Amino acid sequence: MNAPADAIEDTLSTARALLDEGRPLDAIPHYEGALQIDPDRFVARLRYAHALEIGERSHDALVQYFRAVNDAQAKGRWLSPETTAPGLRDAVLYAMNYIDVGRRALFDAALAPFRASSNSEELQRVERCLDIYLRERPPGYPDPRQKAKFLYFADLPTSAYFARELFPWYGTLEDNTAVIKNELVALLGEQGNFEPFLDIPTPELVPQYLGGEKPNWDALFFYRHGRRYDENCARCPETTRIIESLPLVRIAEHAPEICFSILTPGTHILPHHGSTNTRLVTHLPLLVPPDCALTVGGERHVWEEGRCITFDDTFEHEAWNRSNQTRAVLIVDVWNPHLTELEKRATTALIEAIRQFNRQSSVFKD
């Protein structure tokens, strides 16, 4: 081993000895020092969580147990007795139970104000949504084409595309198509305004997400993961004014996601599933050359410039531009119209609690 690795091992040995002596508060700084240098040591993190727990730092322990288990499972470990070292099996099972109990209590607390001010029937679907998220009950998808990567809200009317009549604000977008398109076209003529829609770590991974000889899926974000991009909004003042008048989903660190979405010639967005059916995706098509289309749940839709379309992206979907021209749409996140106002507020609180916990544990599941 090299010197830094030796130093980490010495630090962890000291921490383990202190923990075995019943001195968790003395062990904690040693674990923290080692994990700051090498955060991928999930066994050390498991023991660190145990030290936090017996040191009566229960929430911090929950966060670290959760990260330890997720880090290990991402590497193919702790998925079963066979993938867990015999000497760790009891500790891992204990951690998993601690996580189950702790997360249930944490997310129950997020819903507690809504339970106190409403009857159980009004929150019944939200309660089932939480049960599904915690894997206490199966999602029971009514349509096999559907799969939510993050949060599935059961018992909502299910369809790949949604009827126009459900969105009375369509006119606000469609009547302003020319205004929005003009601001987009002005940006297309300048360098550096757009960024990749997907954060793909290496070029070798691009074929997992995009097809085509030289695929590019670019975007100019007005909002992303709930954060407003003020500079981009200033570049497109009229589009921003129109967007802000819409009934947007607003959930901290989650939604809305609003952007100009650009597909260069030959680009194919490969089939994939979205995060949650609590919010839907609306497209306002702005530049639609021939041989461009969207498929949701196997149902093909050809964009019409200036005519909105809304779909549930938890259905498997893909899009392509097989022309030699640029395709552009405005993407806007909106609430699923079949949710009640109470369900929207409760879902917002639940998602924000989940996101906050995941951020604390450095586990990003969307």
Side-chain angles (χ1 to χ4, degrees):
M1 292 188 294
N2 57 34
D6 286 338
I8 292 173
E9 291 299 335
D10 289 343
T11 301
L12 290 175
S13 294
T14 300
R16 183 69 183 273
L18 291 167
L19 188 58
D20 290 345
E21 292 171 12
R23 298 166 58 189
L25 297 180
D26 293 327
I28 286 170
H30 293 279
Y31 279 120
E32 289 174 344
L35 289 168
Q36 187 172 7
I37 297 169
D38 188 356
D40 294 331
R41 293 187 177 233
F42 47 82
V43 175
R45 192 172 298 280
L46 182 74
R47 291 171 178 151
Y48 170 45
H50 181 56
L52 290 167
E53 180 191 355
I54 59 179
E56 298 185 351
R57 291 170 55 182
S58 57
H59 181 75
D60 293 337
L62 175 62
V63 166
Q64 296 303 324
Y65 276 134
F66 188 64
R67 180 170 178 182
V69 170
N70 274 274
D71 286 356
Q73 292 184 339
K75 294 178 172 62
R77 306 285 292 278
W78 302 358
L79 296 167
S80 64
E82 293 73 27
T83 57
T84 308
L88 286 174
R89 287 174 187 169
D90 287 345
V92 169
L93 286 174
Y94 177 87
M96 289 178 172
N97 182 67
Y98 193 97
I99 290 166
D100 289 345
V101 173
R103 289 205 305 160
R104 164 54 77 175
L106 187 66
F107 303 145
D108 274 346
L111 295 180
F114 302 96
R115 291 170 176 156
S117 61
S118 59
N119 63 54
S120 59
E121 186 175 337
E122 290 176 303
L123 279 180
Q124 192 173 63
R125 297 195 300 186
V126 179
E127 302 285 5
R128 282 198 288 269
C129 177
L130 176 55
D131 291 347
I132 292 167
Y133 177 74
L134 293 173
R135 299 184 180 179
E136 295 174 0
R137 72 166 71 198
Y141 294 112
D143 191 310
R145 300 172 296 172
Q146 196 174 21
K147 181 181 179 182
K149 289 167 55 180
F150 167 53
L151 189 75
Y152 177 64
F153 201 103
D155 305 314
L156 293 175
T158 299
S159 60
Y161 297 98
F162 280 64
R164 293 177 57 84
E165 293 74 21
L166 294 169
F167 309 100
W169 44 265
Y170 266 9
T172 302
L173 285 175
E174 294 177 344
D175 293 347
N176 287 284
T177 298
V179 173
I180 297 170
K181 181 177 177 179
N182 286 341
E183 291 191 331
L184 165 68
V185 171
L187 293 172
L188 289 173
E190 303 173 7
Q191 296 294 321
N193 286 322
F194 293 81
E195 61 182 283
F197 187 97
L198 297 174
D199 183 15
I200 302 175
T202 64
E204 292 75 21
L205 295 176
V206 170
Q208 295 183 22
Y209 303 91
L210 300 175
E213 186 176 346
K214 293 182 179 179
N216 277 296
W217 183 11
D218 293 328
L220 181 133
F221 289 99
F222 298 94
Y223 282 87
R224 189 164 216 194
H225 306 311
R227 182 171 72 86
R228 192 177 192 267
Y229 282 41
D230 292 336
E231 187 175 344
N232 288 343
C233 289
R235 288 193 181 108
C236 304
E238 288 303 307
T239 300
T240 299
R241 178 185 61 78
I242 294 160
I243 288 169
E244 296 289 4
S245 72
L246 302 177
L248 303 177
V249 183
R250 295 188 184 272
I251 302 175
E253 300 184 20
H254 181 75
E257 184 153 285
I258 303 174
C259 67
F260 287 137
S261 170
I262 309 298
L263 287 188
T264 57
T267 298
H268 180 189
I269 302 171
L270 299 178
H272 63 288
H273 295 271
S275 297
T276 175
N277 65 330
T278 60
R279 67 103 181 93
L280 305 176
V281 179
T282 292
H283 285 181
L284 172 67
L286 300 169
L287 297 171
V288 185
D291 211 1
C292 292
L294 166 72
T295 296
V296 182
E299 300 175 30
R300 183 174 175 178
H301 172 81
V302 177
W303 294 286
E304 299 177 47
E305 190 171 307
R307 184 174 175 82
C308 289
I309 182 73
T310 297
F311 62 95
D312 181 344
D313 72 345
T314 63
F315 282 75
E316 185 179 70
H317 60 287
E318 60 183 312
W320 61 83
N321 177 5
R322 295 172 182 155
S323 77
N324 59 1
Q325 303 169 56
T326 296
R327 186 238 61 174
V329 302
L330 176 68
I331 295 179
V332 181
D333 276 354
V334 298
W335 281 111
N336 189 314
H338 299 300
L339 292 169
T340 68
E341 290 304 315
L342 174 64
E343 287 172 335
K344 291 175 187 177
R345 294 195 303 273
T347 299
T348 297
L350 177 59
I351 291 175
E352 288 180 349
I354 291 170
R355 296 288 292 193
Q356 182 181 24
F357 176 74
N358 288 352
R359 185 185 69 251
Q360 290 172 344
S361 58
S362 299
V363 175
F364 302 101
K365 293 186 172 184
D366 195 15

